[in-house]
Amino acid sequence: MGPGPSDTHPHVLAALGAPTVGHLDPFFLQVMSETQVMLRQVFRTQNELTLAVSGTGTAGMETSLVNLIETGDKVIVCVKGVFGGRMADMAKRMGADVTVLERPFGEVFSSAEVAEAVKRVQPKVVAIVHAETSTGALQPLEEISKIVHDAGALLVVDAVTSLGGVPVEVDAWGLDAVYSGTQKCLSCPPGLSPVTFGPRAVAALDKRKTKVSSWYFDLSLVRNYWGQDRAYHHTAPINMNYALHEGLRLLLEEGLEARHARHLRNHIALKAGLQAMGLKYAVAADCQLPQLNAVLIPAGVDDMKVRRQLLTEFGIEIGGGLGPMKGKTWRIGLMGETAYPRNVLLLLGALERCLTANGVACPPGAGVAAANAKLA
Ligand SMILES: *Cc1c(COP(=O)(O)O)cnc(C)c1O
């Protein structure tokens, strides 16, 4: 129940153990094609260039930025947490002329402030995190996307934690380059990064004056392996792709809307329970992520002691705070297979025990009772 990896479905783990075939084996090519079809459904896009980059979520971040950035390009990166900060660092390393917009950790950007910056900077690319896992805040994207496009720029979106947990409407919102990761709400082991490039992003890639500075993540090469040519580029992590294929199949069997609703339902129950125990959310009510619940650690409580007790006595992992939130928040994940009542209720009961052991006066049973009332 941390910020990822989330629990994996037994079918996904079983898929990992299937025989490893060659990366050009007809069976594997079929797995790839089916994965692309399913990824388009999950991303809600028709984008041809939709594939699973070999590497964790950060590889998708690197792919999305490095294919669109050439030395000297003007890029705006919106930073409101650790992962926005990582995007800014990458864009600078790629030689971009980076303007960083900042919001305090836990807040989100208004479309007005992005509009002002876009007008001032006239960037080629704007990059923003949808679900900031380091803070638990959900960034609305629809209006920002329109502002970016009206200025002729491209929008790169980090959907590592959002995809599969809350709606990510790539086509309806007009997002140009979007990446995710397998171990958050897709509930697979870490190792692949689903990426989708829309028509404007592909056109920008095709119009580059210089080669993509990363050979491994160069989509103009990688797309020949995932496309019709099937030209060898690198050896795909075969078994990880089996796992993603099975994870996506399970997701679509449940249904995208049903899955979003399940995340929300369990978040509402968890939140009622945590609040009944006297805990406060670190993020304003209108931008809380269902799949990542950041709460303030009660005064006088030892962060590590509680987390260690949860892990050793109950086998539950929750996350600590990152950056300026270190020692100030706990991050409780309800991602994918983790987002079920059994985990919500077990955590609330276990947390009551650990908080009580650390001198916090929790009303007995209040957390579990409040969550059960919501679940009913
Ligand atoms: C987890 C995460 C990443 C990085 O993914 P890795 O799989 O750790 O490389 C990037 N962005 C966000 C929002 C994340 O939650």
Side-chain angles (χ1 to χ4, degrees), residues 36-118:
Q36 288 180 288
V37 170
M38 292 192 284
L39 279 179
R40 290 187 191 107
Q41 285 173 267
V42 173
F43 271 130
R44 307 264 284 162
T45 185
Q46 308 283 333
N47 290 344
E48 176 76 22
L49 188 51
T50 302
L51 47 78
V53 168
S54 305
T56 64
T58 306
M61 185 187 289
E62 197 120 26
T63 299
S64 301
L65 294 173
V66 81
N67 281 276
L68 298 178
I69 293 176
E70 292 184 77
T71 307
D73 281 346
K74 286 182 184 162
V75 175
I76 292 178
V77 183
C78 302
V79 178
K80 57 182 173 355
V82 167
F83 294 107
R86 186 175 294 185
M87 284 174 133
D89 186 7
M90 274 187 193
K92 285 176 194 162
R93 288 167 190 239
M94 290 164 193
D97 175 0
V98 179
T99 302
V100 172
L101 300 188
E102 275 185 282
R103 291 278 350 148
F105 275 46
E107 296 186 10
V108 294
F109 287 90
S110 73
S111 33
E113 63 197 316
V114 176
E116 185 281 320
V118 165

Side-chain angles (χ1 to χ4, degrees), residues 7-19 27-28 31-32 35 38-39 52 182-183 186-192 194 237-251 259:
D7 287 345
T8 40
H9 193 286
H11 288 177
V12 170
L13 294 177
L16 271 175
F27 174 74
F28 188 67
V31 168
M32 290 168 78
T35 297
M38 292 192 284
L39 279 179
T182 43
Q183 80 276 22
L186 300 181
S187 264
C188 296
L192 292 175
I238 304 293
N239 295 57
M240 252 322 292
N241 276 281
Y242 296 161
L244 176 60
H245 182 277
E246 181 61 14
L248 293 170
R249 195 192 66 73
L250 288 164
L251 189 163
R259 192 167 172 112

Side-chain angles (χ1 to χ4, degrees), residues 166-350:
V166 293
V168 178
E169 295 282 348
V170 171
D171 284 1
W173 299 345
L175 315 178
D176 298 301
V178 185
Y179 60 91
S180 189
T182 43
Q183 80 276 22
K184 310 280 169 86
C185 294
L186 300 181
S187 264
C188 296
L192 292 175
S193 179
V195 169
T196 187
F197 265 47
R200 279 181 294 254
V202 171
L205 173 61
D206 291 338
K207 272 210 312 263
R208 288 180 68 101
K209 291 188 212 74
T210 54
K211 279 188 177 180
V212 175
S213 65
S214 163
W215 188 91
Y216 196 70
F217 295 130
D218 182 348
L219 285 178
S220 67
L221 303 174
V222 174
R223 70 178 166 193
N224 295 330
Y225 176 44
W226 283 82
Q228 297 302 317
D229 294 353
R230 301 300 191 181
Y232 165 71
H233 176 260
H234 64 279
T235 310
I238 304 293
N239 295 57
M240 252 322 292
N241 276 281
Y242 296 161
L244 176 60
H245 182 277
E246 181 61 14
L248 293 170
R249 195 192 66 73
L250 288 164
L251 189 163
L252 292 168
E253 186 177 77
E254 177 177 9
L256 206 46
E257 278 87 13
R259 192 167 172 112
H260 298 155
R262 173 162 63 78
H263 280 88
L264 193 56
R265 199 161 59 241
N266 285 284
H267 157 73
I268 288 169
L270 176 68
K271 181 166 148 179
L274 293 169
Q275 289 177 336
M277 290 167 68
L279 291 163
K280 291 189 171 54
Y281 272 65
V283 172
D286 59 356
C287 60
Q288 289 167 1
L289 276 173
Q291 63 271 50
L292 200 284
N293 296 262
V295 293
L296 298 171
I297 299 172
V301 171
D302 185 333
D303 172 18
M304 274 315 295
K305 218 169 132 202
V306 169
R307 284 196 282 139
R308 200 172 306 123
Q309 190 180 354
L310 278 174
L311 188 61
T312 51
E313 270 185 38
F314 299 93
I316 300 175
E317 177 204 43
I318 64 169
L322 287 182
M325 313 297 264
K326 190 168 160 55
K328 298 198 179 117
T329 59
W330 284 319
R331 294 180 300 143
I332 305 168
L334 285 174
M335 298 180 178
E337 285 303 305
T338 307
Y340 281 101
R342 60 172 181 268
N343 292 327
V344 170
L345 297 173
L346 177 62
L347 173 75
L348 290 169

